[in-house]
Amino acid sequence: MTDAIRDDQIFVPVEGLEVNEVPDGRVVYQASRERVHYLNPTALVVFELCSEKLPLDAIAAFLKDAYQLGAPPLDEVKASAASLLKEELARPWTP
């Protein structure tokens, strides 16, 4: 599924989610599906930066700088985005 996701694609969180902080991340309650999702640190950064309407390659660049990585973790960001899409926590955004 990540092959269909473009590096410059932008995603936004879907409406109606309840996000709560827990000691090691966030949990997202999805009332429409009566589901609770735990977001690990990478998924949380991707989810939160999606709120800023940043393209995936910019999110990967942010993570590279924030964690002083050798290269932007674009594959991991795309995998997180694919998971958020699959779980209906995010959707593609078009201006």
Side-chain angles (χ1 to χ4, degrees):
M1 179 173 200
T2 60
D3 292 338
I5 295 176
R6 296 185 329 271
D7 297 357
D8 66 344
Q9 198 162 4
I10 297 172
F11 296 93
V12 293
V14 299
E15 296 78 22
L17 299 176
E18 183 181 322
V19 181
N20 295 296
E21 190 169 341
V22 294
D24 57 347
R26 302 273 194 294
V27 292
V28 178
Y29 176 64
Q30 191 177 29
S32 64
R33 296 176 67 198
E34 295 185 5
R35 296 195 60 185
V36 175
H37 305 271
Y38 169 76
L39 300 182
N40 67 32
T42 302
L44 176 59
V45 170
V46 173
F47 180 77
E48 288 185 347
L49 292 177
C50 283
S51 298
E52 303 297 322
K53 296 181 180 149
L54 293 175
L56 296 180
D57 52 2
I59 293 172
F62 172 85
L63 288 169
K64 176 192 177 289
D65 293 343
Y67 293 101
Q68 301 175 355
L69 303 172
L74 188 56
D75 289 340
E76 291 83 354
V77 168
K78 288 171 74 173
S80 290
S83 180
L84 292 171
L85 282 172
K86 179 183 173 193
E87 295 299 329
E88 299 176 18
L89 298 177
R91 63 177 176 78
W93 180 77
T94 52

